């Protein structure tokens, strides 16, 4: 299609107005991933290391790189509205398009990795909480993890508070292996203080288990991240299409000093390449015709005395 300078400038201004919104959501991803890593991620990391920090750190790193790319694109689009002799952004727009394509691939890979890790974490949480509960009285990090988990999510035990009745969680000198025993022995009918409700109206024990609450929290966090990243990917795809049209039109000569409508395309096709082929063919045909004509003229104007001399010379030798 042919792009006029007015359409070129409108698309450029629209992109420059929408890019701060994308940057805002990228910064939101960085802040949210950091807060999740310091809260839910720390709890998950204590239960099943290092899954609590892996996904938030990857999302934060990808978002920071995307913010840098968006700022670079904003700068290139700003210079595209200036005279081309002073500020040529042909290469800048080309690099920006490829950077956006790479970021789209990276975000899709992060979403796939996040979904894969969610299924893996579900299997790890079950064994991780049970292992930390069995080491509650002998291992301080496990005790801190369980207390923070039960206080944060208002839960008790992995599935039910009754699991503490079969674990010597008090410091009685009796140690218990971190592996899940085949047979459980009743120890006492009490639970750690973190299982108790701190509500002044009623003093009770949390009835729900921590496994489901932690899994539900991690799944909701994953869905939030994936939803925001999906919106960012959609916005980047639109940016790729728009910037590609601007780049091709700009490369074909459309700029502030030359506002004549120029050809713009998303992907180079056969119709785009045929615009330049006829002139080259005519040029080569004319050149070939000139060469053949000159050869004819030279061959026609060349004297043939040498041919007669050689023939007469050969005849004399034969005689």
């Amino acid at each position: 299609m042919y792009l006029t300078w007015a359409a070129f400038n409108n698309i450029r201004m629209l992109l420059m107005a929408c890019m701060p919104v994308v940057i805002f959501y990228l910064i939101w991803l960085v802040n949210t991933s950091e807060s999740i890593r310091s809260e839910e991620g720390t709890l998950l990391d204590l239960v099943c290391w290092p899954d609590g920090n892996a996904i938030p750190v990857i999302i934060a790193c990808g978002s920071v790189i995307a913010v840098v790319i968006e700022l670079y694109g904003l700068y290139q689009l700003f210079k595209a509205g200036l005279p081309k002799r002073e500020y040529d952004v042909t290469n800048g727009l080309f690099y920006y398009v490829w950077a956006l394509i790479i970021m789209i691939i990276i975000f899709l890979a992060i979403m796939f990795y996040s979904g894969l890790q969610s299924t893996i974490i579900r299997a790890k949480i079950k064994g991780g909480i049970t292992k930390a509960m069995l080491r509650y009285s002998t291992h301080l990090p496990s005790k801190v993890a369980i207390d923070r988990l039960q206080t944060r999510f208002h839960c008790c035990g992995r599935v039910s508070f009754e699991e503490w009745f079969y674990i010597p969680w008090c410091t009685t000198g009796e140690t218990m292996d971190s592996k899940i025993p085949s047979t459980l022995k009743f120890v006492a009918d009490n639970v750690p203080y973190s299982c108790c409700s701190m509500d002044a109206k009623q003093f009770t024990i949390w009835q729900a288990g921590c496994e489901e609450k932690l899994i539900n929290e991690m799944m909701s966090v994953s869905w939030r991240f994936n939803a925001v990243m999906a919106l960012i990917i959609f916005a980047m795809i639109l940016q790729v299409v728009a910037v590609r049209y601007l780049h091709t039109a700009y490369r074909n000569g459309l700029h502030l000093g030359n506002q004549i409508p120029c050809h713009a395309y998303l992907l180079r096709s056969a119709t785009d390449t045929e615009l330049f082929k006829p002139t080259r063919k005519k040029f080569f045909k004319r050149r070939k015709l000139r060469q053949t004509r000159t050869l004819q003229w030279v061959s026609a104007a060349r004297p043939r005395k040498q041919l007669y001399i050689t023939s007469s010379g050969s005849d004399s030798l034969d005689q």
Side-chain angles (χ1 to χ4, degrees):
M1 68 175 186
Y2 284 90
L3 202 64
T4 62
W5 172 250
F8 180 93
N9 203 28
N10 290 334
I11 295 173
R12 185 180 68 88
M13 296 300 293
L14 182 63
L15 283 174
M16 292 178 65
C18 294
M19 286 169 68
V21 179
V22 178
I23 294 173
F24 170 79
Y25 279 105
L26 289 170
I27 295 174
W28 180 87
L29 277 179
V30 175
N31 293 332
T32 307
S33 60
E34 179 60 27
S35 64
I36 293 225
R37 188 192 66 82
S38 60
E39 294 179 6
E40 288 88 351
T42 304
L43 294 176
L44 186 62
D45 200 22
L46 290 172
V47 174
C48 49
W49 185 87
D51 298 319
N53 292 324
I55 296 176
V57 168
I58 292 173
I59 292 174
C61 293
S63 301
V64 170
I65 296 173
V67 168
V68 175
I69 291 173
E70 290 292 330
L71 291 175
Y72 172 78
L74 188 63
Y75 176 65
Q76 295 298 325
L77 289 174
F78 172 75
K79 290 200 304 181
L82 301 177
K84 192 173 182 179
R85 292 182 179 180
E86 300 177 5
Y87 305 97
D88 191 355
V89 295
T90 305
N91 294 330
L93 293 176
F94 178 76
Y95 296 147
Y96 177 56
V97 169
W98 277 106
L100 286 175
I101 293 172
I102 293 172
M103 282 310 307
I104 290 171
I105 296 172
I106 290 174
F107 275 125
L108 287 174
I110 291 174
M111 291 176 65
F112 175 77
Y113 177 76
S114 176
L116 183 64
Q117 282 296 107
S118 298
T119 58
I120 297 174
I121 288 173
R122 288 177 68 93
K124 285 185 178 181
I125 285 176
K126 179 178 179 180
I129 294 176
T130 304
K131 182 179 178 180
M133 290 174 63
L134 294 174
R135 301 170 63 186
Y136 187 87
S137 61
T138 59
H139 190 243
L140 182 60
S142 298
K143 180 181 183 303
V144 173
I146 292 297
D147 287 338
R148 289 184 60 184
L149 182 64
Q150 295 182 148
T151 305
R152 169 72 173 78
F153 293 106
H154 297 172
C155 56
C156 186
R158 182 180 67 84
V159 179
S160 174
F161 67 93
E162 295 178 355
E163 293 177 343
W164 288 110
F165 298 165
Y166 302 93
I167 296 174
W169 59 271
C170 295
T171 308
T172 57
E174 182 182 358
T175 60
M176 195 169 185
D177 191 8
S178 59
K179 296 182 179 179
I180 301 174
S182 57
T183 58
L184 297 175
K185 183 176 69 172
F186 183 81
V187 178
D189 58 351
N190 49 13
V191 294
Y193 76 95
S194 56
C195 286
C196 300
S197 173
M198 299 302 174
D199 192 0
K201 296 181 180 180
Q202 54 180 1
F203 188 77
T204 57
I205 298 173
W206 305 117
Q207 301 292 321
C210 296
E211 179 183 351
E212 280 300 320
K213 290 208 169 184
L214 184 57
I215 289 174
N216 292 335
E217 180 67 19
M218 297 310 298
M219 291 300 292
S220 64
V221 169
S222 178
W223 276 107
R224 275 186 291 166
F225 278 138
N226 290 338
V228 175
M229 284 191 291
L231 291 175
I232 292 174
I233 288 172
F234 179 73
M236 285 185 174
I237 291 173
L238 295 179
Q239 286 179 349
V240 168
V241 174
V243 176
R244 176 60 177 170
Y245 279 115
L246 295 182
H247 167 250
T248 52
Y250 190 85
R251 188 178 62 180
N252 290 332
L254 183 63
H255 56 88
L256 184 62
N258 182 26
Q259 300 185 8
I260 301 174
C262 292
H263 186 67
Y265 52 88
L266 182 62
L267 297 174
R268 187 183 291 273
S269 60
T271 57
D272 298 324
T273 55
E274 285 176 357
L275 295 174
F276 305 98
K277 283 184 178 179
T279 55
R280 293 181 179 178
K281 285 183 178 179
K282 290 180 180 178
F283 174 76
F284 285 122
K285 285 182 180 179
R286 290 177 182 176
R287 189 173 180 180
K288 287 181 180 179
L289 289 173
R290 289 178 183 177
Q291 288 179 355
T292 54
R293 288 177 182 177
T294 51
L295 288 173
Q296 290 176 358
W297 293 340
V298 170
S299 61
R302 183 179 295 175
R304 299 185 178 180
K305 291 182 179 180
Q306 295 180 356
L307 180 62
Y308 296 117
I309 292 170
T310 51
S311 62
S312 61
S314 61
D315 295 336
S316 61
L317 289 174
D318 290 336
Q319 291 175 358

